[in-house]
Amino acid sequence: MADSTKYIFVTGGVTSSLGKGIVSSSLAALLQSRGFSVTIQKLDPYINIDPGTLNPYEHGECFVTDDGAETDLDLGHYERFLDHPTSQANNVTTGRIYQSVIEKERRGDYLGKTVQVIPHITDEIKRRIRLLGDTGKYDVVITEIGGTVGDIEALPYIETVRQLRWELGRNCLSIHLTLVPYLKATGELKTKPTQHSVKMLQESGVQPDILVCRAEHSLTDDMKVKLALFTNVTRDAVFESLDARTIYEVPLLLQNQNMDGVVVQKLGLTSNQPADMSAWSSFVERLLHPSQSVRIGLIGKYVELKDAYKSIAEALIHAGVANNTQVQVEWIHSEHLDPSTVSEQLSGLNGVLVAPGFGERGFEGKIEAVRLARTQNIPFLGICFGMQASVIEYARNVLGKKEANSREVNPNTPDPVIDLMEEQKSVTHKGGTMRLGACDCALQPGTLASQVYGGAAVISERHRHRFEFNNAYLDDLRNAGMVPSGINPETGLVEVVEIPAHPWFVGVQYHPEYKSTVAHPHPLFVSFVQAGLRHAQSH
Ligand code: GLN
């Protein structure tokens, strides 16, 4: 444990989508492998309180933490790279900052003073940044600032970084991630946008210590010298981040350039062990050189935007590596599935994964996908809405309750096998009001679920939903062959269903994808891919 927590700020320039989240996660993984305890935080400059109410088309997946925070998908990367849980404190938006300041103002905490961006908003941002350091749990806190330098809405954050650099002195470092574009016509990389971006950062009073240049081609040494000269950054602190074959390669590419060494030295951290990335390298090696492959269909209604299912896609990658298998994901739009198209659309798959979701659009297609997987003995994993679809499909086609549905989709269904929980009935506000975060689940011994989790009696998984399995139908479904193999010990709610007569059929009300990491691929995904392999071998 360091005497005092070190803070690293990561800003982005020139354009968005350069991969600040991946660079932050990669640096964190390198520092962690040197024996430091590290956490990463994301500050998002938008006015929503959190991304929970955002349409996935806007913002990709909403990642959920153990403590029930609905957060930016970058937190998923942080957890996957660090194998360490994040919390509410790891994602803060402008909306939340203003909400706190306005609540204080209403309480009279400002004693009649005029409330202003500086110092009140910047003080609140500082408080949120220091919250993680003040836990005493971390040697290093990496704070990623969303958006791009020069954005109007990012200004208070950059100003906060400026102030903190004065306050923290050597305990703080500023990393600027920028784009070095390649002009095909002249065959050249161009450093000018980076020079401008750093100038803009300097105009706000922040001098970066480290530059990370995202580029399609390697920067020459001359270019690095030139960038160092123009930006007041030492030559050894100009790094390149080239397009990698997989995001999991990025830590190794940065390690090859000794980025962790430079960071440790600049922060005055005493590192008593070199970065040991051997387990990580072997993960990447296996990922890049699989010995077999399976085809898994991911059925959802946001498949045009793959970020909407980020954690599921990554969990499948982890599970593939655990099985030395390449998982080829076929992204299948549930709106395109009906009884006449489903067998063609799903043909050749070794596994069917029906994704989480909300609302009526595309839901009947999900039920068709379940029906096909169930009747054709294709391994099936249903997550949240996908699990609910599997219960509805069973009620309709095995119990013969043709109008069975979730009350979310048809409020007038005569057989609401999926229904609203009592405590949800009075909820009117949308933000942060679902069943959110970690809940215990007791697994019934002897079931597939119990076997998947290595015989564990009780597991903990994260939730994000309003509707639930309706226990009024429990006996009927059980008698018809659908086994409730995981039950919430506090509420009696069904969290896992399975069909023992099927080779591998599991529906989970929770989201296992949030807990899969490089170090610990999730057992449910590992077992699902294994079942897919068995299917591939026998077909
Ligand atoms: N729409 C469903 C519910 O609210 C499932 C949510 C989900 O898949 N995350 O219960």
Side-chain angles (χ1 to χ4, degrees), residues 215 369 504 520:
W504 204 100
H520 293 103

Side-chain angles (χ1 to χ4, degrees), residues 355-359 366 383-386 388 406 408 418-419 434 463-468 509 511 514:
F358 294 85
K366 287 186 169 174
I383 300 179
C384 208
F385 215 19
Q388 297 176 356
S406 164
E408 175 180 4
I418 304 295
D419 204 354
M434 286 187 257
H463 291 249
R464 182 177 188 247
H465 53 103
R466 257 180 237 293
F467 293 81
E468 301 284 352
Q509 184 58 81
H511 291 262
Y514 294 143

